[in-house]
Amino acid sequence: MTCLEFRSILDRYVDRELSTDEMRRADEHLTGCATCREELASQQSLKQLMSGYVPPVQPPDDYWDQARDRVLAKTVLTADREQKQTDTLVDSHSYMPVMRSVLSVAASIALLAIALVLGSRHDRPAVVLSNQPHQVIVTAEMAELLKSPDGGPLTLGDQRRIGQASILMGGPGMVGRFNFLPGLLRIY
Amino acid sequence: MSESIPALLERFVQGDDLAFGELMARFQKKVYFLAYQTLGNHLDADEVMQETFVRIYRKRKELEHVANFTSFVIRVASNYAIDLLRKRKGQASTEDLSELPSAVQIDLSRRVRTPGEIWTDKHVMMEIQKALDTLPPRQKLTAVLHDVEGYSKAEIAVMLDCPEATVRSNLHIARTKLKKILAKRLARKEQ
Ligand SMILES: [Zn+2]
């Protein structure tokens, strides 16, 4: 075995992945080659050093529970609230449809105007995301934030999850759902 | 007896949120420390940890077909950590221990014996972390998963979604670089 050959199997040597035959030939080479012995020693001590590595800093003990609560707030608890919202909206759906649609037209236009005005600041146009069945009007910056983390299209589930406080309005055929996103309010 | 991972997983897939909380409790440290080793600071590690579980919650339906939950968790976490590193322009920002907030404790109980050793170890660990920070994301993750966490090359190939040959070459390059950076430390060790 040459030095070059030995170097090419050094990783496998250290990770104990060589066959008995390969191992024997490697050891033969090592007996006669101080340079490769040194190389092996440094590779082995690196592996040993790494195996004992623990991050030098650890969060305080109560961090773990708090972090878990925050995740639950973003997932489980949000899903519950969505369910409740949906239930309420379905219940009210049968009442006073005419009155509701008149009010909601006015409100929808007002909100659209607000969204457009807010959105037009800082050269960020408002965009309409229409991943049916509801339309969500958000500023471009919010659209950026709302983008599904996986890079795919924004699903209705994503919209619901992120929209912490949302209002559903409008009669048949009207623009329906507006999300008051905390981020939107914070930006301006 | 605590419930097995597959049992918890099954309950979670069927919509049991308590099972989700329990799974998170079992895996959050693993994810946090992997993220810390990759990104080098608490805030980013915290973000990766939380986002990993938010994503897993959303992927609940896919989990039915997942053979190895640990690999799945690490895969989700690695993907996000790599994204975040790219956003940070490949630069991990390792915390300077002297600037740590007081709430952050130093706990190296696994290896600590005397105050003198605590000091030495803390510095050894910082040296390793800084050396790791010089590696590109995939090399760094491969080195950490293999040499620190002890996963096999086949497991890492699944976690990082790449051929085993890539794991081998990334590991090789990572070790070569680490050896160079940590040369002084390694020489001291050999004596
Ligand atoms: Zn040689």
Side-chain angles (χ1 to χ4, degrees):
Chain A
M1 186 177 281
T2 64
C3 289
L4 203 63
E5 281 170 327
F6 179 77
R7 299 301 165 90
S8 75
I9 58 162
L10 179 57
D11 278 307
R12 290 172 58 222
Y13 188 104
V14 174
D15 296 334
R16 297 170 199 278
E17 292 172 353
L18 295 179
S19 67
T20 332
D21 184 50
E22 286 172 313
M23 195 70 182
R24 187 184 48 77
R25 290 194 298 128
D27 283 338
E28 267 171 26
H29 176 78
L30 286 171
T31 324
C33 182
T35 324
C36 285
R37 276 205 303 276
E38 239 171 71
E39 194 59 32
L40 173 66
S42 110
Q43 189 88 342
Q44 274 168 336
S45 52
L46 173 71
K47 197 178 170 177
Q48 200 198 348
L49 185 69
M50 294 301 288
S51 71
Y53 174 73
V54 281
V57 173
Q58 301 216 0
D61 288 340
D62 54 1
Y63 163 73
W64 305 107
D65 284 345
Q66 288 169 3
R68 210 155 57 236
D69 287 346
R70 283 197 290 274
V71 173
L72 292 175
K74 288 186 210 165
T75 54
V76 176
L77 302 178
T78 312
D80 284 353
R81 193 163 58 232
E82 276 162 25
Q83 192 55 48
K84 275 175 207 135
Q85 276 176 3
T86 313
D87 293 347
T88 322
L89 293 165
V90 168
D91 283 349
S92 63
H93 197 253
S94 51
Y95 298 107
M96 302 193 300
V98 177
M99 186 59 176
R100 260 173 12 93
S101 60
V102 169
L103 283 175
S104 64
V105 169
S108 298
I109 291 167
L111 278 170
L112 180 56
I114 291 166
L116 288 169
V117 169
L118 290 178
S120 64
R121 289 202 197 149
H122 307 296
D123 303 323
R124 286 185 216 103
V127 293
V128 178
L129 301 166
S130 54
N131 292 47
Q132 41 69 55
H134 308 301
Q135 285 185 314
V136 181
I137 296 179
V138 296
T139 61
E141 175 147 5
M142 283 314 298
E144 184 69 34
L145 289 174
L146 280 166
K147 229 176 264 161
S148 157
D150 298 316
L154 186 70
T155 66
L156 188 62
D158 289 328
Q159 295 177 23
R160 283 210 187 112
R161 217 180 307 285
I162 302 166
Q164 300 278 328
S166 61
I167 303 176
L168 186 72
M169 286 174 304
M174 294 303 305
V175 171
R177 181 184 162 115
F178 292 90
N179 279 356
F180 279 95
L181 295 159
L184 180 69
L185 300 177
R186 227 182 298 124
I187 291 164
Y188 298 99
Chain B
M1 268 299 283
S2 62
E3 206 173 345
S4 73
I5 300 294
L8 282 170
L9 200 54
E10 198 184 325
R11 275 173 47 208
F12 171 46
V13 172
Q14 283 162 2
D16 183 342
D17 289 333
L18 286 177
F20 175 65
E22 177 61 26
L23 282 169
M24 200 177 358
R26 302 251 189 120
F27 284 90
Q28 67 182 153
K29 288 193 179 181
K30 196 188 275 289
V31 172
Y32 176 90
F33 288 118
L34 180 67
Y36 190 99
Q37 282 152 1
T38 313
L39 290 142
N41 68 82
H42 170 74
L43 281 182
D44 285 339
D46 178 50
E47 182 177 338
V48 170
M49 200 267 275
Q50 291 192 41
E51 184 58 25
T52 296
F53 288 103
V54 170
R55 289 181 182 191
I56 288 170
Y57 186 83
R58 292 184 196 166
K59 286 172 192 266
R60 171 194 297 238
K61 299 246 159 58
E62 288 171 39
L63 285 168
E64 223 171 325
H65 313 287
V66 166
N68 185 329
F69 186 63
T70 307
S71 297
F72 183 84
V73 172
I74 292 181
R75 189 167 171 161
V76 175
S78 308
N79 279 336
Y80 190 70
I82 289 172
D83 284 353
L84 207 56
L85 256 184
R86 290 220 179 96
K87 247 191 252 172
R88 306 265 184 278
K89 301 199 168 68
Q91 210 56 55
S93 46
T94 291
E95 289 159 324
D96 186 338
L97 282 185
S98 58
E99 289 171 10
L100 286 174
S102 55
V104 180
Q105 301 169 347
I106 308 297
D107 176 15
L108 294 165
S109 47
R110 249 168 71 188
R111 44 193 50 260
V112 163
R113 278 185 186 79
T114 67
E117 275 183 26
I118 294 175
W119 193 86
T120 317
D121 269 334
K122 198 170 82 181
H123 282 259
V124 177
M125 297 309 149
M126 281 305 286
E127 246 180 88
I128 300 176
Q129 182 67 54
K130 291 223 157 114
L132 281 169
D133 287 348
T134 63
L135 303 176
R138 288 185 161 266
Q139 285 171 21
K140 189 192 299 196
L141 273 167
T142 306
V144 168
L145 288 169
H146 192 278
D147 287 351
V148 181
E149 304 296 332
Y151 291 107
S152 74
K153 297 180 177 82
E155 286 171 314
I156 298 169
V158 174
M159 290 165 182
L160 300 184
D161 198 18
C162 65
E164 212 177 301
T166 308
V167 175
R168 283 180 191 280
S169 71
N170 276 336
L171 183 63
H172 180 75
I173 300 168
R175 281 174 171 174
T176 308
K177 289 181 186 168
L178 291 173
K179 242 182 336 196
K180 209 175 264 175
I181 299 166
L182 296 167
K184 278 188 197 153
R185 170 70 53 195
L186 294 172
R188 246 175 287 165
K189 221 165 173 285
E190 278 161 35
Q191 279 160 15

